[in-house]
Amino acid sequence: MAVQVRPLTPEALAEELAERVARLSEEDGRTWTRVAVDGADAARPGDLADALVEPLRVRGRPVRRVRARDFLRPASLRFEYGHHDADAYLDRWLDAGALFREVFDPLEPGGSGLVLPTLWDPATDRATRAQRVPLPPGGVLVLDGPLLLGRWFPLDLTVHLRLTPAALERRTPEPERWTLPAFARYEAEVRPEEQADMAVRADDPRRPALVVNV
């Protein structure tokens, strides 16, 4: 299948994604819509996820932002094989079970709609003790973080921000470059650009380009 790469401004990209999310909600008549923006920290997935909030609200969709970094496992589990183990970073850092239990399950049909916005603070290595918050019917969950695809999360729309290996290395700070083999393995095993519903080339954050199948 041929692809077309369409350059956009960051603002236009957010508007286009928001329009697709809103249209998806209307067409399927679902109670809640669950969206993930997947990408290495160097691709700034949180920036795009944050940029979706206002365009969705303008379209009448309440939004709840959740960040994968607030659902990491305790340090004793993350660092069981050392502080710089790339395989552990890919396989063990994210508490996927907690995301299912506290974020996705309440948004299943017939669910309560009460979402836990944060679970664990990796800086203090303590539970955040956050209270559950409601996401009204018609609302949109927007999750961001690295290495999210291939985990069977019940997502209605997935967006992958892709960096070339050279751009990923260039934009990853030196103290974090030990994670690069994890992203190489993720690319080889999960093939996120193919798995995602929408893919964005993000080598230059000022000039993202939407990949469209034609």
Side-chain angles (χ1 to χ4, degrees):
M1 181 180 295
V3 298
Q4 180 184 71
V5 180
R6 180 155 53 91
L8 294 167
T9 66
E11 296 77 15
L13 175 61
E15 287 287 343
E16 182 152 338
L17 294 180
E19 184 61 30
R20 176 159 176 176
V21 171
R23 189 169 62 247
L24 180 67
S25 303
E26 292 168 358
E27 291 172 352
D28 292 0
R30 65 191 71 207
T31 306
W32 298 285
T33 303
R34 300 153 299 186
V35 178
V37 181
D38 170 71
D41 289 343
R44 303 180 186 175
D47 289 357
L48 178 56
D50 287 343
L52 284 174
V53 173
E54 188 58 27
L56 284 169
R57 287 178 175 161
V58 167
R59 290 166 172 80
R61 303 291 176 179
V63 180
R64 176 60 56 191
R65 281 283 287 113
V66 174
R67 297 164 176 80
R69 66 171 180 260
D70 295 322
F71 284 83
L72 299 183
R73 290 191 167 100
S76 60
L77 298 176
R78 298 199 313 275
F79 302 141
E80 183 177 358
Y81 299 99
H83 283 68
H84 297 146
D85 188 290
D87 288 330
Y89 178 70
L90 175 59
D91 297 329
R92 299 174 61 86
W93 276 42
L94 182 65
D95 193 341
L99 276 171
F100 272 107
R101 182 178 67 252
E102 307 293 356
V103 176
F104 293 119
D105 288 352
L107 302 181
E108 289 291 321
S112 67
L114 295 173
V115 173
L116 191 69
T118 65
L119 176 68
W120 198 261
D121 184 340
T124 63
D125 202 33
R126 294 179 181 273
T128 61
R129 302 188 183 278
Q131 299 298 308
R132 289 173 174 79
V133 292
L135 181 59
V140 180
L141 168 77
V142 181
L143 170 71
D144 80 273
L147 311 171
L148 293 177
L149 303 182
R151 298 180 186 270
W152 302 101
F153 290 145
L155 293 160
D156 303 300
L157 183 70
T158 54
V159 182
H160 173 64
L161 303 184
R162 183 182 184 276
L163 296 175
T164 61
L168 177 61
E169 182 172 2
R170 181 175 67 252
R171 291 174 52 188
T172 299
E174 183 65 38
E176 299 171 14
R177 289 189 178 177
W178 63 270
T179 64
L180 294 177
F183 290 103
R185 195 182 131 207
Y186 181 62
E187 185 72 30
E189 296 179 3
V190 177
R191 303 183 72 85
E193 186 169 3
E194 297 175 15
Q195 186 173 140
D197 297 305
M198 303 179 74
V200 176
R201 305 283 174 88
D203 282 3
D204 185 341
R206 300 164 299 177
R207 300 179 179 85
L210 184 62
V211 180
V212 181
N213 293 323
V214 295

